[in-house]
Amino acid sequence: EMLEPSLLSVGDEHLGEGVSVALTDVRFTDDDAQPAQENDAAQTGTTTLIGTFVVTNTGDREVLRFDGSASFGPETVIIHAGSGNPLRDARFAITDEGESPAEEIPPGEQRIYDVTITIPQPASEYLVLSLDLSVFGGSGHTSFLIPTADDVDSSPLGL
């Protein structure tokens, strides 16, 4: 039974057993900046979401081990639209400062990973990213509430 954990916001940290995971940054890029042609109406665009996760091994003995991008998939990472429906066909990639990720995190150490997720263009004002912490070698689940691009674009800095 997966109990729905309370939703965290971007910037919040989930303290799990032996692992803490924070989603510190989210940015969106539209893959199809070109205006759609009339006859392309059937093809909906995709959006790429890049989430920066700070993962800390809070244990004192166990090394966290995971299988890089292979650990990310529909079984371990679920993205829901505001409607509550899971978005199908999400694709994942994980990098560590542009490199393939270090797949071991020794006790007391921290890693920063960029997780790139390609999803169908969301129509809702927010997404919910539900994460099985096994993707980073931990156990348990957490969920983050992510405002979609329109909200993010209205940042006060105008960036």
Side-chain angles (χ1 to χ4, degrees), residues 11 25 32 101 113 145 153:
D25 183 49
D32 49 354
Y113 299 111
L145 183 69
D153 287 345

Side-chain angles (χ1 to χ4, degrees), residues 5-158:
S6 58
L7 283 174
L8 300 176
S9 298
V10 176
D12 288 348
E13 178 181 37
H14 171 86
L15 280 170
E17 198 174 312
V19 63
S20 95
V21 176
L23 177 60
T24 57
D25 183 49
V26 173
R27 42 204 192 282
F28 287 88
T29 60
D30 285 337
D31 295 345
D32 49 354
Q34 298 301 318
Q37 303 298 318
E38 299 274 325
N39 58 3
D40 287 351
Q43 297 182 356
T44 54
T46 57
T47 293
T48 299
L49 175 167
I50 302 170
T52 301
F53 288 89
V54 177
V55 183
T56 308
N57 183 342
T58 57
D60 49 12
R61 285 209 264 336
E62 298 283 322
V63 174
L64 293 179
R65 291 185 173 84
F66 66 99
D67 192 13
S69 294
S71 58
F72 279 78
E75 302 298 312
T76 52
V77 185
I78 300 171
I79 301 194
H80 296 274
S83 61
N85 293 327
L87 295 179
R88 307 265 173 237
D89 305 323
R91 297 194 304 277
F92 304 95
I94 176 171
T95 56
D96 180 355
E97 295 179 353
E99 305 289 318
S100 269
E103 293 166 2
E104 293 192 349
I105 308 176
E109 295 202 15
Q110 178 175 297
R111 299 275 186 272
I112 299 175
Y113 299 111
D114 279 335
V115 177
T116 303
I117 306 171
T118 304
I119 54 173
Q121 199 94 38
S124 56
E125 292 175 21
Y126 62 89
L127 300 170
V128 175
L129 175 68
S130 298
L131 201 59
D132 183 325
L133 297 179
S134 68
V135 297
F136 294 122
S139 61
H141 295 87
T142 189
S143 295
F144 292 94
L145 183 69
I146 300 172
T148 52
D150 293 333
D151 297 327
V152 175
D153 287 345
S154 61
S155 73
L157 301 174

